[in-house]
Amino acid sequence: MATDTPLRPYDSAPLDDDRGSVRPIPPGTGAAARLRRLIGIREELLAWVPEERTRYTWYGAIVLNTALVGALSMSLALGSFRSDLPLVVVLLVAAVWFWVVLVMDSWLVSSTHGTKVKKWSLGLRLLLSVLLGLFIAEPILFQIFDKEIRQEIAVGNEQKVADYRGMLVACNPTDGASTADRPECRRYQLKIAGSPAELSQQTESNASRAKALETQVESINRTLKGKMAAEQELCGRDNWIWRGGVRDVTITCERAREDSSSYRETSKIDTYEKQLAALRAEGQTLAEKKNKAAETYQPLLQRAIDTRTKEREAALDTDGILTRAHGLKTVAGSDGFAFFLTIVLHLLLLGFDALPVLAKFMSGSTMYDRILGSRFEASRRLHAEELQVRHECARMEHDVQRHRVELDANDRMQTLDHQYRTAQAERAVKERAELDARMDRILRTRHA
């Protein structure tokens, strides 16, 4: 079909073929060409301006160096923050990060070739490069200030441990007095059995219980003593009577005996007396423990404080990224020169990481960019012309198809007209023959 006909013959030389060029300089090869290929340079176009090969070779080297520094930064970061990782894993992650940085920088550079890049577009690329540079620069800064950061972290952790121990000592007195009423001591109280204050509290509680039980026992004994006195009075020989020929106690005496016996059982005086004896024995034991607590409690308290202090010291982070970042901030803020050096190193590393895009800012548009831009423009025009030719071919093909359909419709209409006229003539002949036959029959009938 006409729409499949290209603008150029298939056997014609492509645009990338430089045969017959006025500058038949062969394309570059070797390591330099591979470096230029990293940033998307086309050697067949660069052959027109070989003077810029050196520029783009070093441009590719800049991109490669940035990726290498990124891999080094990642390996340093993993080695510092995750020292438990195997070396193979560290190298694998560093290789992946090298590839990611290389791809991003290659895209950032190659996307600026040829066309006239706007300043805001380069600004966005520069911002992306700065963000990438921040991620790459921090681990390197941590390694540069490693000694100072570790010293600052050690001093800070010692101060934290000392403050923690001071709160433990302040919130846990040697006499065991409670500090629950102090809000700052809620997280620093230690539970140690046998403190003098606890034993004093237990002794006071035991004495209070013993006193209450003693009062209750005395009250029961007084009542029981009264009932026993009434029993002795009612059951005395003076109150005996003759019953069945013998002297016997009265019914009132028997009732008094039953009342006193029943009261002894219901009042549980024996149980209370045993409990009172146990409380008195416990009071003596607590008194002995209280006398010895001053000597035994303080070592237990000191041992508990030491244990909690060691746990606090072991729980403090020394290699975490946030801890090291805080240490770097403290080091930079404690000395003016350290702050100045930190800013300079930050800017230096950021400038190095953003150098691929900064190089485009500084170099501006090159002859290679103009040649590539001209090739883009030629390709655009060629594509537009190709589309126009295809459109024209398609339109003519549609015209041919329309004309073919019109001719075919005319032929079919003429055929239908001919068939219609033939059919009418045949019907007329048949009708004429039928009328003649009828006329012959009528005439024969009349003659007969």
Side-chain angles (χ1 to χ4, degrees), residues 137-282:
E138 289 304 315
I140 298 177
L141 285 173
F142 290 155
Q143 291 299 320
I144 293 175
F145 292 99
D146 181 70
K147 183 178 180 180
E148 291 77 8
I149 291 174
R150 290 186 180 278
Q151 183 178 0
E152 182 62 34
I153 292 175
V155 172
N157 288 346
E158 289 178 1
Q159 185 63 41
K160 291 179 182 178
V161 171
D163 294 342
Y164 185 77
R165 184 181 183 86
M167 290 300 298
L168 289 177
V169 172
C171 295
N172 297 276
T174 55
D175 59 351
S178 177
T179 57
D181 56 337
R182 296 167 58 183
E184 68 276 8
C185 291
R186 292 177 182 175
R187 297 188 302 145
Y188 301 96
Q189 292 181 348
L190 300 176
K191 301 295 182 181
I192 302 175
S195 65
E198 181 181 0
L199 291 175
S200 298
Q201 186 178 1
Q202 292 178 1
T203 302
E204 292 175 0
S205 175
N206 181 79
S208 177
R209 289 166 54 197
K211 185 176 181 179
L213 188 59
E214 184 178 1
T215 301
Q216 185 178 3
V217 168
E218 290 177 355
S219 176
I220 293 174
N221 284 331
R222 283 196 300 269
T223 303
L224 182 61
K225 184 177 181 181
K227 291 183 179 293
M228 293 295 295
E231 177 187 351
Q232 291 177 1
E233 183 180 356
L234 293 175
C235 294
R237 290 180 174 271
D238 296 339
N239 295 323
W240 287 4
I241 61 174
W242 289 96
R243 182 184 297 174
V246 296
R247 294 177 63 84
D248 195 3
V249 295
T250 62
I251 296 176
T252 305
C253 173
E254 293 177 351
R255 290 177 178 175
R257 286 178 178 176
E258 292 178 358
D259 184 39
S260 60
S261 299
S262 176
Y263 183 75
R264 179 178 290 275
E265 293 179 358
T266 57
S267 63
K268 300 180 180 180
I269 183 62
D270 296 334
T271 302
Y272 290 151
E273 287 178 348
K274 291 179 181 180
Q275 292 179 356
L276 181 59
L279 288 176
R280 287 172 178 170
E282 184 179 0

Side-chain angles (χ1 to χ4, degrees), residues 1-3 391-404:
M1 295 176 64
T3 54
H391 176 71
E392 291 296 331
C393 292
R395 187 182 61 79
M396 289 186 291
E397 181 67 24
H398 292 162
D399 292 340
V400 171
Q401 291 180 359
R402 186 185 305 110
H403 187 61
R404 182 183 295 115

Side-chain angles (χ1 to χ4, degrees), residues 423-440:
Q424 280 187 336
E426 290 176 355
R427 284 197 300 271
V429 171
K430 289 180 180 180
E431 290 176 357
R432 188 68 179 177
E434 185 179 354
L435 290 176
D436 291 342
R438 288 182 182 179
M439 183 61 68
D440 289 341

